[in-house]
Amino acid sequence: MNKLKVTMDAKESQQISETIAKNLKDFNESKVGAYDFKPFTISLTDDAENFIAGLYGQLFDKVCLIETVWVRENERKKGLGTQLFNKLDEFIKENNCNLIQLATTEFQGRQFYETIGFSVVAVLPYEFKGYTTYIMRKTFERLD
């Protein structure tokens, strides 16, 4: 038997990352069938096309995975986040999704997300720099 060598690199190797992802996807597809992640962004700009707020994520089958949400600090509490999520609700319904999932920390937007229909489904203490992270979901239909 050949001797195996374990290598550690303190930075990401794009080639190795892509190989791992491809091999895992091949394995998963052998069990569940073909699938893709479909990225999207939603943004808000002012009349001068200055970026004010946005979110991005991926659609995966009937699930919308939100990666990041951001609203310019001096524009918060003006309904912009609600506008973003109203647009997202339209988008996921058009794409036959039945749930949105995101993560937020205790100092970010948990209360906001709860006011627009999200519920906490998991709590991860000491997950982000010592702060608690909440996994939140908003469902649109009964999940089978």
Side-chain angles (χ1 to χ4, degrees):
M1 179 176 180
N2 293 336
K3 186 173 180 179
L4 301 177
K5 175 181 165 186
V6 176
T7 304
M8 166 58 197
D9 194 341
K11 61 184 183 329
E12 181 181 18
S13 163
Q14 186 173 353
Q15 179 182 6
I16 292 172
S17 296
E18 288 173 359
T19 300
I20 292 168
K22 181 191 179 314
N23 287 329
L24 179 59
K25 188 172 190 288
D26 289 347
F27 171 79
N28 291 347
E29 287 181 338
S30 76
K31 304 296 181 192
V32 301
Y35 65 87
D36 280 312
F37 288 91
K38 299 173 185 166
F40 67 89
T41 59
I42 299 173
S43 61
L44 276 167
T45 55
D46 63 17
D47 291 337
E49 295 297 318
N50 295 308
F51 185 77
I52 305 296
L55 62 82
Y56 67 88
Q58 301 179 62
L59 298 182
F60 176 66
D61 193 36
K62 295 189 177 289
V63 179
C64 174
L65 303 169
I66 300 300
E67 301 291 330
T68 302
V69 178
W70 179 81
V71 176
R72 187 184 292 170
E73 197 163 348
N74 64 341
E75 298 293 338
R76 294 179 186 163
K77 304 209 183 285
K78 296 181 180 179
L80 302 181
T82 301
Q83 287 182 47
L84 289 172
F85 277 89
N86 287 343
K87 187 65 166 176
L88 178 62
D89 288 353
E90 292 173 24
F91 176 70
I92 68 159
K93 287 175 185 174
E94 291 167 2
N95 285 277
N96 300 312
C97 292
N98 56 18
L99 79 83
I100 304 170
Q101 180 173 298
L102 57 80
T104 190
T105 63
E106 62 189 87
F107 63 86
Q108 292 174 328
R110 176 181 172 184
Q111 292 77 20
F112 165 72
Y113 297 123
E114 288 174 332
T115 66
I116 60 170
F118 283 81
S119 299
V120 174
V121 296
V123 178
L124 306 173
Y126 202 79
E127 198 268 339
F128 178 78
K129 302 275 295 173
Y131 291 93
T132 298
T133 294
Y134 301 94
I135 308 302
M136 303 186 77
R137 285 184 167 180
K138 180 178 180 180
T139 58
F140 292 87
E141 297 175 10
R142 182 183 164 107
L143 299 176
D144 296 337

